[in-house]
Amino acid sequence: MLAKYLSFFFPINVVKKKSDLSKTLEVSWNNGQLVLDSKNTNYSFGSLQRILRKGLKYIGFDRIRSFQSILILGVAGGSVIETLVNEVKFKGQITGVEIDPEILQIAQEYFNIGRYSNLQLITDDAFEFVLKTKENYNLIIIDIFQDTKMPNFLFQDFFIQRINSLLHPDGFILFNTMVISDKDRARNLDYRKKFTENYSLRMYPKVEDHNELFTIKKLR
């Protein structure tokens, strides 16, 4: 494909869409890869895939392969799902929750997210979903952005406690955050303090410039 090869020299736009929730969504070829971007940041594939792949490596591919169920809050184009299935070789159940139907349509049409037989996609607000679900998970991946901003509920006690209650013992949370300002840094430091001795928390700063990853293990 000509566009793919030309994209090593300059980005090639494929489609640009408007969304009530996400505003601007753009699919383009960039450095030989099809990526999904918002106005100011990468939503899937590209740098975001590299970020979450690092988080999964911190947890350990062998460990993840032994898990039974994974919950992803914030699916976008599905790059972390591709990593889980094709690189980690995860065979268990993956549940993906995405609030924006426009994003899921793009994920189906341009990134073929429907090809994963062990994936269940749900269009819902992440906060509402975690309140309703009765399932428990070995790994919960939180990757929720509105362009470069993160919803406040992600850092509030009630949501954190609810997420923790959905984890199996020895389960993990992988939380991708964006740190642009001093306020963001203070927010993340405060987030660290919300986990007791029943959890093992590690923070990985400066992952792809502005991202900070948390891995949180629920101890037995």
Side-chain angles (χ1 to χ4, degrees):
M1 181 185 291
L2 181 59
K4 179 177 180 179
Y5 293 109
L6 288 175
S7 73
F8 285 102
F9 303 97
F10 49 85
I12 305 291
N13 179 257
V14 176
V15 66
K16 197 170 188 177
K17 289 190 173 185
K18 293 290 185 183
S19 161
D20 291 338
L21 293 170
S22 306
K23 308 306 179 189
T24 301
L25 296 168
E26 184 172 352
V27 178
S28 60
W29 286 99
N30 198 322
N31 290 317
Q33 187 172 27
L34 202 60
V35 300
L36 172 62
D37 295 320
S38 66
K39 183 179 179 180
N40 295 300
T41 194
N42 177 241
Y43 264 12
S44 268
F45 301 91
S47 63
L48 184 69
Q49 186 170 29
R50 293 193 297 272
I51 290 164
L52 292 179
R53 183 188 289 118
K54 286 179 182 178
L56 296 173
K57 283 183 176 178
Y58 295 148
I59 295 170
F61 283 10
D62 287 342
R63 177 185 278 138
I64 293 169
R65 276 192 288 272
S66 72
F67 291 164
Q68 299 298 313
S69 58
I70 295 175
L71 173 64
I72 301 170
L73 300 177
V75 172
S79 54
V80 72
I81 297 165
E82 180 183 83
T83 302
L84 284 167
V85 175
N86 294 340
E87 291 186 51
V88 180
K89 307 299 182 185
F90 178 70
K91 304 294 187 185
Q93 178 64 36
I94 302 172
T95 302
V97 179
E98 172 60 54
I99 192 173
D100 192 340
E102 291 286 346
I103 285 182
L104 285 183
Q105 183 179 349
I106 288 172
Q108 295 280 7
E109 185 173 352
Y110 294 95
F111 298 97
N112 194 22
I113 200 171
R115 70 186 185 275
Y116 302 112
S117 59
N118 59 335
L119 171 64
Q120 178 189 20
L121 287 174
I122 297 171
T123 307
D124 201 355
D125 178 272
F127 186 84
E128 296 293 331
F129 177 83
V130 301
L131 289 183
K132 293 180 291 189
T133 185
K134 294 178 171 39
E135 301 298 323
N136 289 101
Y137 305 92
N138 302 108
L139 171 61
I140 299 175
I141 300 171
I142 306 173
D143 187 43
I144 298 175
F145 297 91
Q146 295 163 343
D147 195 28
T148 58
K149 298 188 182 303
M150 302 188 70
N152 290 332
F153 75 81
L154 296 173
F155 301 92
Q156 292 172 351
D157 290 349
F158 182 80
F159 182 78
I160 292 168
Q161 291 164 9
R162 181 62 185 157
I163 287 289
N164 293 349
S165 74
L166 300 180
L167 271 184
H168 285 295
D170 291 330
F172 280 82
I173 298 165
L174 173 58
F175 185 21
N176 180 28
T177 70
M178 191 168 288
V179 178
I180 298 174
S181 65
D182 289 339
K183 184 178 178 181
D184 295 336
R185 275 183 279 277
R187 175 205 65 197
N188 278 17
L189 289 173
D190 185 58
Y191 180 80
R192 292 184 67 174
K193 299 172 185 174
K194 296 180 183 291
F195 291 86
T196 67
E197 66 277 1
N198 296 321
Y199 296 86
S200 174
L201 182 147
R202 293 185 180 181
M203 184 173 69
Y204 303 90
K206 290 289 184 182
V207 183
E208 297 282 333
D209 294 330
H210 296 298
N211 291 79
E212 193 163 80
L213 283 174
F214 289 92
T215 60
I216 303 151
K217 182 181 181 182
K218 185 176 184 177
L219 304 177
R220 288 185 177 272

